[in-house]
Amino acid sequence: MTSRKKSDELFNRASVKIPGAVNSPVRAWKAVGAAPIFIESGNGATITDADRNTFLDYVCSYGPAILGHAHPSVMRAIAEQARLGLGFGAPTRLEVELAELISSSITCAQKVRLVTSGTEAGLTALRIARAATGRPNIIKFDGCYHGHSDSMLVRAGSGGMTLGQPDSAGVPSALAAMTMVARYNAIETVEGLFRAAPEKIAAVIVEPVAANMGVVNPDAGSLKALAEITRNNGALLICDEVISGFRLCFGSVAESMGIAPDLIMLGKIIGGGMPVGAVAGSAKIMDLLAPVGPVYQAGTLSGNPLSVRAGLETLSVLQETNPYAALDAAGARLESGLRDALKKTGQTGCVNRAGSLLTMFLGPERVRDADEARTSDSAKFAKFFHGMIDRGINIPPSQFEAMFLSTAHTNADIDRTIAAATESLKDLNAGGY
Ligand SMILES: *Cc1c(COP(=O)(O)O)cnc(C)c1O
């Protein structure tokens, strides 16, 4: 057992001044019944905590760190940029370059607005959709997360699922009533909502590969059907690719599956580890935004030079090295190792994976939607999590998150992870699970 002295001290201080000691609830180890470790630094596939313990990391900042932590060329780019000042409240060349790069790799992204978080991308996308259609309602899927804007905090996946809060207090019920909830991979639930009030629905918003109820892949054809339903009913299709964008391929995973979203949300990877978000779509729809059109949206630090430079560098490394086949192979290696580990230890569960995103659910034999995800054994997961941490492997502290691989994870790292998982699953047997 490694020392947690410094982390515990920091946790105690943080608890006094910061609600729950964290600035984002998913960072608390509440669902696994412990105080979180405090991180000092990261390097490649590892992170080091305040007590100088080093962990192999599968959180990867919840997605942005696809090149691993402190990637040399990204660090160099940020340092270089920082010398030039941190933002000017004026447009910069870098923003043009990032918009051009996103647009050249995502067909539907004719125009791009940069914001500071995925949450902002989501609320902006909804506002545009409502303005474009003149309709109030939005359809989302149970278990999909689109940031914490009021309209989207309904059945919103990982954070809420982990803490047992499907919906947030403080969201006016009149607003929540405009968010209609469908079941992932159950197109008939979307059809039903459209049948009831087709003229009220502005948009359907979806994670084309869901990663916030744990990883759940879309059924073949279900996204195509969504695109068709929205088109036939005069509603927009918003693909939330804040996680999947530039992670599963260089660009949009929806487009790689033959879907043409009306609006796309990006974040995480396109900021290279710095705060960022983006909403993009056709020139016609995007020109609804001020200062061209009537939809107001703004941000003091939107498109700030450090985020944009970090994002540009990350994307250019991804474009040059094209690591997607290798990331997929690494994911496949981890997936099959974890499947074997479940089998060997007699634990029931399943492994869902999309490229370098992966979730091992403990309990259910398949997970295709949030209801099936919720049948997972969270107490068992908590014990598994601590088994992994004690063996130097940092996985997300929730059954309902994805593990993230980076280009810095080696086969040896993955094999070590599989060995640790096998031992941790064995411990579950010993503990009466
Ligand atoms: C992380 C995430 C968001 C929110 O992004 P923030 O930058 O955390 O506000 C939105 N949608 C999806 C799919 C995400 O994974």
Side-chain angles (χ1 to χ4, degrees):
M1 182 70 182
T2 51
S3 166
R4 300 244 177 103
K5 190 165 172 291
K6 294 238 165 66
S7 275
D8 286 344
E9 278 168 20
L10 286 167
F11 178 76
N12 289 336
R13 276 170 62 195
S15 299
V16 177
K17 294 297 175 192
I18 302 173
V22 292
N23 282 314
S24 190
V26 300
R27 297 176 195 169
W29 286 9
K30 198 169 167 186
V32 295
I37 51 173
F38 280 63
I39 305 304
E40 291 274 335
S41 64
N43 182 17
T46 65
I47 53 173
T48 300
D49 73 7
D51 295 285
R52 304 237 173 281
N53 305 305
T54 293
F55 301 87
L56 189 52
D57 182 33
Y58 289 93
V59 176
C60 288
S61 189
Y62 286 99
I66 190 170
L67 300 177
H69 296 288
H71 186 274
S73 74
V74 178
M75 294 304 103
R76 205 156 44 235
I78 293 173
E80 215 174 271
Q81 196 60 42
R83 283 198 288 275
L84 303 175
L86 300 179
F88 316 103
T92 60
R93 170 178 52 82
L94 296 173
E95 293 163 81
V96 188
E97 289 180 6
L98 185 54
E100 285 173 350
L101 181 56
I102 289 171
S103 191
S104 69
S105 40
I106 299 178
T107 308
C108 72
Q110 288 177 352
K111 287 197 175 181
V112 183
R113 171 70 48 100
L114 293 180
V115 294
T116 312
S117 67
T119 292
E120 265 188 88
L123 71 88
T124 304
L126 297 191
R127 191 176 299 146
I128 294 171
R130 284 169 163 153
T133 57
R135 300 172 176 182
N137 291 1
I138 307 289
I139 296 177
K140 76 177 288 293
F141 292 89
D142 187 6
C144 283
Y145 181 66
H146 307 293
H148 66 98
S149 71
D150 284 348
S151 290
M152 289 293 96
L153 276 187
V154 180
R155 297 257 151 203
S158 53
M161 280 168 87
T162 305
L163 302 173
Q165 293 174 318
D167 311 305
S168 173
V171 176
S173 55
L175 190 61
M178 293 177 204
T179 302
M180 309 162 96
V181 180
R183 185 146 49 87
Y184 204 75
N185 280 326
I187 198 71
E188 68 279 7
T189 62
V190 179
E191 288 163 349
L193 293 171
F194 268 106
R195 225 175 289 122
E199 73 296 338
K200 285 204 159 164
I201 297 164
V204 177
I205 184 167
V206 65
E207 289 180 73
V209 169
N212 282 291
M213 50 181 136
V215 174
V216 177
N217 277 293
D219 282 346
S222 78
L223 290 175
K224 282 219 164 95
L226 262 192
E228 209 172 286
I229 293 171
T230 46
R231 192 167 33 206
N232 292 344
N233 287 281
L236 303 190
L237 178 62
I238 304 171
C239 283
D240 180 349
E241 300 222 27
V242 171
I243 280 187
S244 61
F246 296 95
R247 172 161 286 276
L248 301 177
C249 61
F250 192 79
S252 151
V253 71
E255 287 192 350
S256 79
M257 293 188 276
I259 311 302
D262 295 297
L263 286 167
I264 187 164
M265 291 154 57
L266 297 166
K268 298 195 169 116
I269 286 172
I270 66 157
M274 300 286 291
V276 86
V279 55
S282 70
K284 184 165 165 247
I285 291 179
M286 292 301 292
D287 279 342
L288 288 170
L289 284 173
V292 187
V295 178
Y296 196 70
Q297 184 281 329
T300 302
L301 296 178
S302 291
N304 96 81
L306 287 194
S307 295
V308 175
R309 185 72 191 272
L312 275 170
E313 183 59 28
T314 299
L315 293 183
S316 74
V317 171
L318 290 172
Q319 194 166 33
E320 277 159 29
T321 57
N322 192 15
Y324 296 100
L327 282 167
D328 185 58
R333 187 182 186 96
L334 183 57
E335 176 187 5
S336 89
L338 292 177
R339 283 232 172 90
D340 287 349
L342 285 170
K343 211 178 297 158
K344 258 192 232 160
T345 56
Q347 288 290 338
T348 56
C350 62
V351 182
N352 281 4
R353 180 179 72 88
S356 53
L357 297 170
L358 177 149
T359 300
M360 179 168 75
F361 292 96
L362 294 177
E365 281 171 20
R366 66 158 212 202
V367 173
R368 300 175 63 252
D369 59 40
D371 281 336
E372 290 181 355
R374 278 188 282 265
T375 66
S376 303
D377 187 335
S378 287
K380 198 187 254 193
F381 175 84
K383 182 132 198 271
F384 174 73
F385 169 86
H386 288 293
M388 294 298 275
I389 279 286
D390 290 346
R391 291 175 175 87
I393 315 279
N394 184 52
I395 62 173
S398 162
Q399 173 69 90
F400 308 111
E401 300 279 5
M403 290 170 70
F404 295 86
L405 282 155
S406 77
T407 56
H409 288 77
T410 63
N411 282 344
D413 289 336
I414 291 168
D415 293 347
R416 178 152 80 85
T417 306
I418 294 164
T422 309
E423 292 304 307
S424 301
L425 289 170
K426 253 188 224 154
D427 289 352
L428 299 182
N429 293 333
Y433 283 96

